[in-house]
Amino acid sequence: MPELPEVEAARRAIAENCIGKKIIRSVVADDAKVIDGVSRADFEASLTGKTIVGAHRKGKNMWIELDSPPFPSFQFGMAGAIYIKGVAVTKYKRSAVSDTDEWPSKYSKVFIELDDGLELSFTDKRRFAKVRLLKNPATVAPISELGPDALLEPLTEDELFKALSKKKIAIKALLLDQSFISGVGNWIADEVLYQAKIHPQQSAATIPKEGCAALHKSLKEVIEQAVEVGADSSQYPSNWIFHSREKKPGKAFVDGKTIDFINAGGRTTAYVPELQKLTGDQAVKAAVKPQKKSSNKNNDKAESEGEEIAKPKGGKKTTQSRAKKAPAKRKPDTSDDNDDDEDEKKPATKKKSTGGNKKSTARKKSKESESDDDDVDDNGDEDEVKGKEEVAKKVQTGRPTRKRAK
């Protein structure tokens, strides 16, 4: 998922190559899941003929300032990326488009051609991004709900310590909360906690002042170093946990020490048990009840929902990039881009029965539940049909069907 360094690399590319140039043509995708709250025609009309005068970012959100509002705003989601034809921009691994692919890419959501011939495109393979057209992006959600930017508005060491002392949740979960500090995602959180030698599940309020100082230092250094190299991960220091955090358990090491994987903050978390230990009461409890380990499998929907949390004034948490929950009964999805498959057709409604038919109804629900959950059984659909036919017979006769004794 693009985090602060990746989005900042995109912002800088636009600032260095596009400011002062007029948009002579724009093409917006007909994709209401990504293009949020505005029609394709209105979006294109609002861009064409305008001059780019600035590029801004807060957290993982970026917007392009034009010579008059409204302005296009980009929330990168899982795999959003900016590409400028002929200009090297960091290619986040999940959003990389090959140089041999057609231009603009079939994944392009907003394409812009400038008066000097330069072309840029915002792409999104996974369709978790959000592109909006706003009069003042900084004053409305989701940007208005963000906490201080980790790079542009860093907390002082004392401010961070005071803020942590009021939070009783796990430090990893707190770092991912965009209303606390914006721009920190899963890999940055893992990296700064590793370098500060803090366990990801340690309660924020129990971190001592020296631990807070180490966290403050690592947060500043990790973000600044990543931004300095344009989010090119091949240039990150070799002793960063970043380079091994996606390896399989038992095969992941950093500086000769074993990397373990657990769930913290609702996310797969890489940490080094030898260096990052729970302290205080949490250490005692952990000794009695071993932690559940994560399998380190990528859960894209969880990632999409987990990091983009911002807490508005009303107190309820909102998710900036939330994937829709699937209905209870769905056909298997065979495409990354098709999230709108039709629900399976339900059988015709039968007449209600009385008496001993309650058990058959319960069995019907159980049978359907088992069928829905079985994604690996090749005969799952056939079994479900047979099960429903048997239940239908029970409903019509008003008495349960018994198996003949052998």
Side-chain angles (χ1 to χ4, degrees):
M1 175 181 287
E3 302 184 21
L4 187 156
E6 289 84 6
V7 181
E8 176 63 13
R11 186 204 68 79
R12 291 186 179 187
I14 292 176
E16 292 169 4
N17 295 278
C18 304
I19 288 180
K21 299 176 183 180
K22 181 181 286 189
I23 300 172
I24 62 171
R25 185 167 69 99
S26 63
V27 179
V28 176
D30 185 14
D31 186 351
K33 183 178 179 183
V34 176
I35 308 300
D36 189 18
V38 60
S39 71
R40 174 182 180 178
D42 288 345
F43 207 132
E44 291 175 351
S46 295
L47 297 180
T48 306
K50 300 288 184 66
T51 299
I52 297 176
V53 298
H56 308 278
R57 179 196 58 76
K58 184 164 185 178
K60 304 178 217 173
N61 294 260
M62 185 195 77
W63 65 100
I64 298 175
E65 183 181 356
L66 306 176
D67 53 2
S68 64
F71 308 141
S73 173
F74 305 89
Q75 184 180 326
F76 282 55
M78 282 295 301
I82 289 286
Y83 294 95
I84 303 177
K85 191 174 183 180
V87 176
V89 181
T90 294
K91 293 183 179 180
Y92 186 68
K93 65 182 179 179
R94 286 184 185 161
S95 59
V97 177
S98 172
D99 293 335
T100 59
D101 289 348
E102 62 180 344
W103 177 265
S105 162
K106 64 180 180 180
Y107 301 111
S108 177
K109 302 304 175 184
V110 177
F111 169 81
I112 292 173
E113 182 181 352
L114 302 176
D115 56 2
D116 68 342
L118 202 66
E119 297 175 350
L120 67 94
S121 171
F122 176 81
T123 68
D124 180 25
K125 280 186 176 182
R126 308 289 302 198
R127 300 177 69 225
F128 286 113
K130 292 292 181 185
V131 180
R132 304 177 176 92
L133 196 62
L134 305 170
K135 288 184 178 180
N136 190 348
T139 63
V140 296
I143 298 174
S144 63
E145 297 175 348
L146 298 175
D149 185 86
L151 176 68
L152 305 176
E153 308 161 303
L155 298 177
T156 66
E157 188 177 314
D158 287 339
E159 287 173 337
L160 181 60
F161 180 70
K162 289 178 182 178
L164 294 184
S165 65
K166 299 175 184 178
K167 306 291 185 179
K168 295 182 179 180
I169 67 172
I171 185 61
K172 171 71 181 281
L174 183 60
L175 291 176
L176 294 181
D177 185 344
Q178 300 300 291
S179 69
F180 181 68
I181 297 176
S182 61
V184 176
N186 202 32
W187 82 256
I188 291 180
D190 284 358
E191 192 64 53
V192 300
L193 290 174
Y194 162 65
Q195 294 190 24
K197 296 181 175 60
I198 297 173
H199 194 287
Q201 292 178 332
Q202 186 69 44
S203 171
T206 64
I207 297 175
K209 198 149 190 175
E210 58 271 21
C212 180
L215 178 62
H216 182 269
K217 180 175 180 289
S218 63
L219 185 62
K220 180 177 183 295
E221 290 180 349
V222 167
I223 290 176
E224 288 182 350
Q225 287 182 64
V227 168
E228 185 179 350
V229 298
D232 182 354
S233 59
S234 67
Q235 297 187 54
Y236 293 167
S238 59
N239 63 345
W240 279 17
I241 199 174
F242 174 91
H243 299 290
S244 301
R245 61 186 302 277
E246 292 191 1
K247 293 183 179 179
K248 294 181 179 179
K251 296 183 179 181
F253 302 91
V254 58
D255 280 350
K257 296 179 176 60
T258 299
I259 298 172
D260 209 345
F261 299 93
I262 56 173
N263 186 300
R267 304 293 304 281
T268 296
T269 300
Y271 82 116
V272 178
E274 185 179 338
L275 301 177
Q276 298 168 261
K277 300 179 183 296
L278 289 168
T279 62
D281 292 341
Q282 286 183 269
V284 176
K285 292 179 181 178
V288 176
K289 185 179 180 181
Q291 301 175 51
K292 291 183 178 180
K293 294 184 179 181
S294 169
S295 63
N296 196 29
K297 292 181 179 179
N298 289 328
N299 187 336
D300 289 344
K301 289 187 177 180
E303 287 184 1
S304 176
E305 296 179 6
E307 286 188 12
E308 300 289 341
I309 299 171
K311 193 180 290 184
K313 293 180 181 178
K316 294 182 180 179
K317 289 191 176 182
T318 60
T319 302
Q320 293 185 41
S321 182
R322 185 179 298 278
K324 293 181 180 179
K325 289 186 178 180
K329 294 167 67 179
R330 284 286 234 198
K331 289 183 179 180
D333 186 4
T334 58
S335 170
D336 283 343
D337 293 329
N338 186 4
D339 294 319
D340 301 314
D341 291 352
E342 295 181 359
D343 293 342
E344 292 181 12
K345 293 182 179 179
K346 297 180 180 179
T349 304
K350 304 296 180 180
K351 292 182 180 180
K352 294 182 179 179
S353 60
T354 57
N357 216 28
K358 291 182 180 179
K359 290 184 179 180
S360 65
T361 302
R363 290 173 185 168
K364 176 181 178 182
K365 291 182 180 179
S366 175
K367 186 72 177 179
E368 290 178 346
S369 175
E370 291 172 3
S371 177
D372 285 341
D373 290 339
D374 187 4
D375 294 329
V376 296
D377 186 355
D378 293 336
N379 297 318
D381 292 340
E382 184 179 348
D383 291 343
E384 181 180 1
V385 171
K386 290 181 179 179
K388 289 178 180 177
E389 290 176 351
E390 183 177 350
V391 171
K393 291 180 181 178
K394 295 178 187 177
V395 172
Q396 290 174 336
T397 58
R399 59 181 179 273
T401 301
R402 296 179 181 177
K403 292 183 178 180
R404 183 176 297 175
K406 293 184 179 179

